[in-house]
């Protein structure tokens, strides 16, 4: 049973490592093209894509190597200890950079919805660059904490992640309320005009679609990261066990999967980025008539 679980996780992560590398490379190339999206959003998306690319390039191969050595029962060696520590160290750095990148994008969307008249004034390029640098520095600090005080890093990680979960939940809830309010305003306008309102109907449908899309973004975010947080809480309170180790395999794979989903959720849903990606793929992939 354990062998089959380890092999399945190896296969899944090998595939997701490839998709994380490929999707994020294409996203990075697309974001470097001239696009009609705010400069701040491009910077945040680029930072997120770079961290997700690093997860696929470094963290997942280290995780696969760890699983392969466990399958071969080669865990009582110095090499396994190096692989394990390297996986956790790079994972804390790159996964948290991706995690904080998602939170930063959530904050940007909140500001765009609630302060749309002052958005350009509040979200300047210098401030966004400062936020991105802060995200990477905080991720590096968490990595160093794992190296220096590994026994305490679990508690620190749970606290940091819990704050981020609550913050993003509050942001998305306020975004949803704002979108619903805008949609209700359009319905009132439709009732008042009662004619020539095709454009308003389209806007209302777009607002509802944006609200649903926002909910799905947060849902995927929770599905990928929350189980890992639960694992650390259970580990600290109940101690290690075989069943908990099996749960850790699932949570790690889910968390790493997020690096493949992020470019789809944040970039692919943006029309201009999607068109740029399609153009890149058309140039890379061979045409049938050639």
């Amino acid at each position: 049973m354990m062998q089959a679980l380890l092999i399945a996780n190896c296969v899944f992560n090998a595939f997701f490592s490839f998709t994380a590398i490929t999707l994020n490379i294409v996203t990075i190339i697309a974001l470097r093209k001239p696009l009609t999206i705010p400069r701040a959003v491009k910077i945040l998306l680029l930072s997120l894509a770079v961290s997700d690319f690093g997860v696929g390039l470094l963290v997942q191969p280290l995780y696969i190597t760890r699983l392969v050595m466990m399958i071969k029962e080669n865990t009582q060696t110095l090499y396994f200890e190096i692989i394990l520590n390297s996986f956790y160290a790079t994972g804390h750095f790159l996964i948290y950079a991706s995690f904080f990148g998602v939170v930063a994008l959530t904050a940007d969307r909140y500001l765009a919805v609630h302060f749309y008249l002052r958005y350009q004034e509040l979200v300047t390029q210098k401030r966004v660059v400062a936020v991105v640098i802060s995200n990477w520095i905080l991720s590096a600090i968490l990595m160093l904490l794992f190296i220096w005080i590994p026994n305490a890093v679990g508690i620190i990680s749970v606290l940091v992640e819990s704050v981020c979960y609550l913050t993003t939940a509050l942001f998305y809830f306020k975004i949803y309320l704002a979108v619903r309010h805008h949609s209700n305003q359009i319905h009132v306008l439709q009732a008042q005009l009662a004619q020539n309102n095709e454009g308003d109907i389209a806007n209302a449908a777009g607002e509802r679609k944006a609200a649903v899309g926002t909910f799905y973004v947060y849902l995927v975010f929770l599905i990928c990261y929350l189980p890992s947080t639960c694992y650390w809480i259970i580990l600290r309170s109940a101690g290690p066990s075989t069943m908990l180790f099996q749960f850790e395999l699932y949570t790690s794979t889910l968390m790493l999967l997020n690096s493949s989903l992020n470019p789809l959720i944040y970039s692919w849903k943006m029309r201009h980025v999607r068109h740029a990606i399609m153009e890149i793929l058309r140039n890379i992939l061979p045409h049938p008539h050639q």
Side-chain angles (χ1 to χ4, degrees):
M1 178 64 181
M2 181 63 71
Q3 290 286 93
L5 186 61
L6 292 171
I7 293 172
N9 274 272
C10 281
V11 173
F12 283 132
N13 279 278
F15 176 75
F16 293 140
S17 175
F18 172 77
T19 57
I21 293 172
T22 305
L23 291 174
N24 284 290
I25 284 178
V26 174
T27 300
I28 291 170
I29 296 173
L31 289 170
R32 290 178 60 84
K33 292 179 174 290
L35 301 173
T36 55
I37 60 175
R39 180 68 176 173
V41 177
K42 287 185 67 174
I43 295 172
L44 292 173
L45 287 173
L46 274 171
S47 176
L48 179 61
V50 169
S51 60
D52 286 334
F53 169 76
V55 170
L57 184 67
L58 298 175
V59 182
Q60 287 181 290
L62 286 170
Y63 183 55
I64 294 169
T65 305
R66 170 199 175 190
L67 296 179
V68 169
M69 295 187 71
M70 294 178 68
I71 293 171
K72 294 181 177 181
E73 299 182 354
N74 190 19
T75 59
Q76 305 299 321
T77 62
L78 177 62
Y79 180 65
F80 178 79
E81 192 72 20
I82 293 173
I83 292 295
L84 186 63
N85 289 330
S86 298
F87 163 68
Y88 281 120
T90 57
H92 274 81
F93 181 56
L94 292 169
I95 291 175
Y96 273 116
S98 178
F99 183 91
F100 295 139
V102 173
V103 177
L105 278 166
T106 305
D108 174 80
R109 181 170 297 185
Y110 169 78
L111 293 173
V113 170
H114 281 267
F115 303 98
Y116 56 92
L117 294 178
R118 299 178 54 204
Y119 176 75
Q120 297 295 335
E121 175 189 349
L122 294 173
V123 185
T124 63
Q125 182 173 336
K126 288 184 178 180
R127 289 175 179 174
V128 172
V129 171
V131 168
V132 169
I133 293 174
S134 299
N135 287 347
W136 285 92
I137 291 175
L138 181 57
S139 302
I141 290 173
L142 289 173
M143 178 189 68
L144 293 175
L145 287 176
F146 166 76
I147 296 173
W148 293 336
I149 45 174
N151 292 331
V153 74
I155 298 174
I156 297 172
S157 298
V158 168
L159 291 175
V160 171
E161 290 169 14
S162 298
V163 171
C164 291
Y165 290 140
L166 292 175
T167 303
T168 51
L170 180 62
F171 280 153
Y172 278 125
F173 180 68
K174 287 182 173 292
I175 290 170
Y176 172 77
L177 291 180
V179 170
R180 190 175 66 173
H181 176 67
H182 295 163
S183 182
N184 290 337
Q185 284 183 325
I186 291 173
H187 283 304
V188 171
L189 182 62
Q190 289 175 346
Q192 292 174 346
L193 296 177
Q195 59 181 355
N196 298 325
N197 55 8
E198 292 82 359
D200 294 329
I201 295 174
N203 289 335
E207 295 285 2
R208 287 193 296 270
K209 184 177 180 181
V212 174
T214 299
F215 171 75
Y216 284 141
V217 165
Y218 182 60
L219 183 62
V220 171
F221 178 71
L222 283 181
I223 290 173
C224 289
Y225 280 97
L226 191 56
S228 180
T229 306
C230 294
Y231 161 76
W232 283 107
I233 294 174
I234 298 172
L235 179 64
R236 292 296 171 181
S237 59
S241 66
T242 302
M243 183 176 297
L244 189 59
F245 172 72
Q246 293 176 354
F247 181 61
E248 189 259 346
L249 293 178
Y250 289 114
T251 61
S252 297
T253 297
L254 261 181
M255 189 166 54
L256 296 172
L257 169 63
N258 191 250
S259 293
S260 295
L261 296 179
N262 277 337
L264 296 176
I265 297 171
Y266 286 101
S267 299
W268 196 259
K269 290 294 184 181
M270 302 177 69
R271 180 168 55 89
H272 298 290
V273 177
R274 182 172 67 249
H275 290 169
I277 291 175
M278 292 300 295
E279 181 182 349
I280 293 170
L281 293 177
R282 280 195 294 266
N283 293 332
I284 294 176
L285 299 176
H287 298 284
H289 60 272
Q290 292 181 345

